[in-house]
Amino acid sequence: MEEIHKVKLFKIKILLIFCLIFYFIQMQVISLRGNKISERESGLSNEQLTIKEIRLWPTLEEISKSAAAEIDPIGFWLEVSWPMDWDKGECEFLVNGQLTPAKEGGGGFGQGYYNQDFFIYAGQPGPKTIEVLFTSEKRKAKSIARADFSSSGGFVLLNSADRELIDSPQPLKFLSWLFKNCRVLINGNEQKLESREIFNGLQLLSCQPEFHPGLNQIYFSGLDFLGQLKEGSLIVFYAEGGKIKVGDRFSIKYDCFETKSSSIGLVAKGEAICFLDKPNRDNLVFNFENNFLDYKSICLQPVEARAAGQAIIKVVEFWWPGGEKILKEIKYEVQKK
């Protein structure tokens, strides 16, 4: 019996030793895993970095004033929040693991947090995983959100407004997202387009048109993401070297705004040209800077050439209750028909 008891004790000791060895091995594995995660994340923390809101951008209401063809969203508008004691820092964005261009919008702070708007490209329609990587001298953090991106795409002419006067040769630029078979015709003539890829499904297109003096029609079209034909067109007035003729009608484009203390307007000098009506302030022009789509409201002043001679138009900032500042002076030569 004593021998049997000793054998049982020996087996129990062996079992305990085996359990201890197994436990030690498991702890080493967990420790190694923890080290790998730490190296991969490089100290990133999700705490207090928040994507508070996600919306499609732009909305149809925002672009309804443009002369462009119908367009759908190009990306997302995000509101991101983080503690003020992290400092301002910088944010980078990944969509489905791919770094995407981003642009800051409005921002503010309150209750100990910064709140900053961002606009980002989304790529192809479908489910999206959005990662925000925040970096400052004090903190690194990451936050993840998910959203669905729905869009049939867009194809817009950049930097141009309907019936705008231009006085020097310049390339026409277009931005296309999720469109195929893009075409541009100037006065019915097909243009050769050069393209540059900006992001997944997003291209910057350009051509060097040959305008003739006077009115020129720009027509552009393409197939959207759903395979539907979308078209757009506008007119530009080409005054080569600033030369126009009596009877010509066109519009002068300028940045306009009004505040409680000042406003911007045009002043015509001489009798060679005259303003036909009040400026149209309900216009939207697209532009593309630092690899990002933007748009702003501009003014268009309808003008007619009435008599031969030199015409001068001044862009002036008017101050209340008095005073003014000339921002720009444009000279034209009006010729007889």
Side-chain angles (χ1 to χ4, degrees):
M1 291 293 294
E2 185 175 341
E3 289 294 326
I4 294 173
H5 183 65
K6 287 180 180 181
V7 171
K8 287 182 177 181
L9 287 175
F10 179 77
K11 289 182 178 180
I12 292 171
K13 287 179 180 180
I14 293 297
L15 182 60
L16 288 173
I17 291 171
F18 179 81
C19 289
L20 287 171
I21 292 172
F22 181 78
Y23 176 77
F24 177 78
I25 292 172
Q26 288 295 100
M27 290 303 292
Q28 286 294 99
V29 170
I30 292 170
S31 177
L32 287 172
R33 286 176 178 168
N35 289 336
K36 289 180 180 179
I37 291 172
S38 178
E39 289 172 4
R40 186 181 71 243
E41 295 189 352
S42 187
L44 296 181
S45 170
N46 295 334
E47 294 178 2
Q48 298 179 298
L49 176 67
T50 307
I51 304 175
K52 297 176 66 175
E53 189 174 355
I54 303 175
R55 294 203 303 256
L56 293 174
W57 174 84
T59 64
L60 293 178
E61 290 79 11
E62 289 177 305
I63 56 90
S64 62
K65 296 187 293 183
S66 75
E70 296 179 42
I71 69 171
D72 269 13
I74 194 171
F76 292 112
W77 170 89
L78 308 175
E79 183 181 2
V80 181
S81 174
W82 65 88
M84 292 179 66
D85 57 14
W86 292 7
D87 292 342
K88 286 292 288 183
E90 295 182 355
C91 289
E92 288 186 326
F93 297 86
L94 282 77
V95 175
N96 289 354
Q98 183 179 1
L99 187 66
T100 177
K103 178 184 175 181
E104 285 192 9
F109 58 88
Q111 298 181 340
Y113 282 82
Y114 284 118
N115 297 291
Q116 182 66 55
D117 295 343
F118 293 94
F119 304 97
I120 66 171
Y121 294 135
Q124 303 288 320
K128 302 295 176 182
T129 298
I130 303 169
E131 297 177 67
V132 183
L133 305 178
F134 173 88
T135 304
S136 71
E137 292 185 357
K138 293 184 177 180
R139 196 66 174 263
K140 291 184 178 181
K142 178 173 72 174
S143 184
I144 299 176
R146 291 173 176 79
D148 288 325
F149 179 60
S150 175
S151 175
S152 63
F155 185 30
V156 297
L157 175 60
L158 302 172
N159 308 316
S160 298
D162 198 31
R163 295 193 171 270
E164 170 192 1
L165 180 143
I166 57 176
D167 56 14
S168 61
Q170 51 189 296
L172 289 178
K173 295 183 179 181
F174 301 80
L175 196 65
S176 163
W177 61 99
L178 306 176
F179 262 53
K180 296 181 179 179
N181 301 339
C182 293
R183 299 178 65 205
V184 175
L185 279 70
I186 307 296
N187 299 323
N189 298 318
E190 187 96 23
Q191 302 295 299
K192 181 180 179 181
L193 297 175
E194 296 183 358
S195 65
R196 177 165 66 92
E197 188 80 11
I198 304 299
F199 190 63
N200 185 10
L202 177 68
Q203 290 184 321
L204 181 64
L205 307 173
S206 63
C207 65
Q208 183 65 58
E210 293 185 2
F211 290 136
H212 56 66
L215 299 175
N216 295 262
Q217 184 184 51
I218 303 171
Y219 167 85
F220 49 101
S221 66
L223 300 179
D224 68 11
F225 191 74
L226 302 176
Q228 301 295 314
L229 177 67
K230 296 292 178 65
E231 303 171 291
S233 66
L234 54 75
I235 301 290
V236 296
F237 188 96
Y238 181 49
E240 184 176 7
K243 297 179 180 180
I244 54 182
K245 294 183 178 181
V246 173
D248 285 343
R249 290 189 174 191
F250 48 85
S251 292
I252 303 295
K253 181 182 73 176
Y254 65 99
D255 293 332
C256 56
F257 68 89
E258 291 185 356
T259 68
K260 293 181 179 179
S261 59
S262 68
S263 63
I264 291 181
L266 298 184
V267 174
K269 183 179 179 181
E271 299 180 354
I273 61 174
C274 70
F275 296 155
L276 295 177
D277 203 348
K278 293 181 179 179
N280 181 358
R281 299 177 178 271
D282 193 27
N283 304 278
L284 200 65
V285 170
F286 293 92
N287 54 61
F288 189 73
E289 296 180 357
N290 299 319
N291 282 338
F292 217 88
L293 173 70
D294 198 4
Y295 48 86
K296 63 179 180 180
S297 294
I298 54 94
C299 282
L300 287 173
Q301 174 63 65
V303 175
E304 182 180 24
R306 290 284 177 88
Q310 188 180 65
I312 298 177
I313 294 179
K314 298 178 181 180
V315 183
V316 181
E317 184 173 8
F318 299 96
W319 296 87
W320 185 89
E324 60 185 50
K325 178 182 179 182
I326 298 175
L327 303 177
K328 186 178 181 181
E329 188 173 275
I330 313 167
K331 296 181 180 180
Y332 302 103
E333 182 185 340
V334 182
Q335 302 174 334
K336 294 181 180 179
K337 283 189 175 182

